[in-house]
Amino acid sequence: MVAAPRITERNTRMGLDMYLTGEKFIMTADGMNPQEDGFRLRSKTLELGYWRKHPNLHGYIVQTFAGGKDECQEIYLSVPGHIHTIIAAIKARQLPDTTGFFFGVSDKSDEQMEADIATFEKALAWVETDEPGIFRSVRYRASW
């Protein structure tokens, strides 16, 4: 029989952190990207969403878009339909119960579900925005 891990100050801070990131790649027709701080500006990164200990959402994204491979890698969600698929799964309450060391437990309340949907809908609207000279991508990454 294995004893449960001892709760300490250190391991209460540890846990599943989840990031939804948008990146705007700047592509000018003349190949002369703008400069910032004396360097060519290639892209800008935006935080589109953040969750702390929402393992069911994490499990769904890893199982659906990374073939179940969970190595804190970046998972690209810009592929047409990926974000729509996540929104549909949240609305249908199809996020699988997911466990992991220090993952915590997902909040299954209606308020959390609405917040999750709003985050992904906003990310979808952002990635679908047509802006000359800009390519947008969305990726997900977790760490623990």
Side-chain angles (χ1 to χ4, degrees), residues 11-12 31 49 54:
N11 67 22
T12 58
H54 193 342

Side-chain angles (χ1 to χ4, degrees), residues 19-23 45-49 126 137-141:
Y19 305 91
L20 188 66
T21 305
E23 191 162 10
T45 303
L46 295 87
E47 182 178 288
L48 303 177
W126 178 84
S137 73
V138 175
R139 63 188 184 269
Y140 167 81
R141 184 170 184 201

Side-chain angles (χ1 to χ4, degrees), residues 60 64-65 77-88 124 128:
Y60 180 82
T64 306
F65 305 111
L77 300 177
S78 298
V79 175
H82 279 18
I83 296 175
H84 288 287
T85 301
I86 296 168
I87 293 168
L124 181 62
E128 290 179 342

Side-chain angles (χ1 to χ4, degrees), residues 14-93:
M14 295 177 68
L16 180 63
D17 290 296
M18 305 158 54
Y19 305 91
L20 188 66
T21 305
E23 191 162 10
K24 291 174 76 168
F25 294 91
I26 302 160
M27 300 172 286
T28 59
D30 62 7
M32 299 299 293
N33 288 36
Q35 297 225 342
E36 192 166 309
D37 298 331
F39 297 94
R40 194 184 90 165
L41 183 62
R42 182 179 152 268
S43 66
K44 291 186 176 187
T45 303
L46 295 87
E47 182 178 288
L48 303 177
Y50 170 79
W51 296 267
R52 173 84 173 141
K53 297 187 179 188
H54 193 342
N56 297 354
L57 177 60
H58 173 73
Y60 180 82
I61 292 171
V62 168
Q63 291 300 318
T64 306
F65 305 111
K69 182 180 176 183
D70 189 359
E71 296 178 349
C72 296
Q73 75 276 23
E74 290 186 336
I75 301 171
Y76 289 88
L77 300 177
S78 298
V79 175
H82 279 18
I83 296 175
H84 288 287
T85 301
I86 296 168
I87 293 168
I90 295 168
K91 286 180 177 179
R93 297 187 180 273

Side-chain angles (χ1 to χ4, degrees), residues 89-117:
I90 295 168
K91 286 180 177 179
R93 297 187 180 273
Q94 293 178 335
L95 302 182
D97 286 333
T98 304
T99 60
F101 201 61
F102 297 125
F103 273 23
V105 178
S106 287
D107 176 354
K108 296 180 183 180
S109 69
D110 289 340
E111 293 80 14
Q112 182 63 54
M113 183 181 76
E114 290 168 13
D116 294 342
I117 292 167

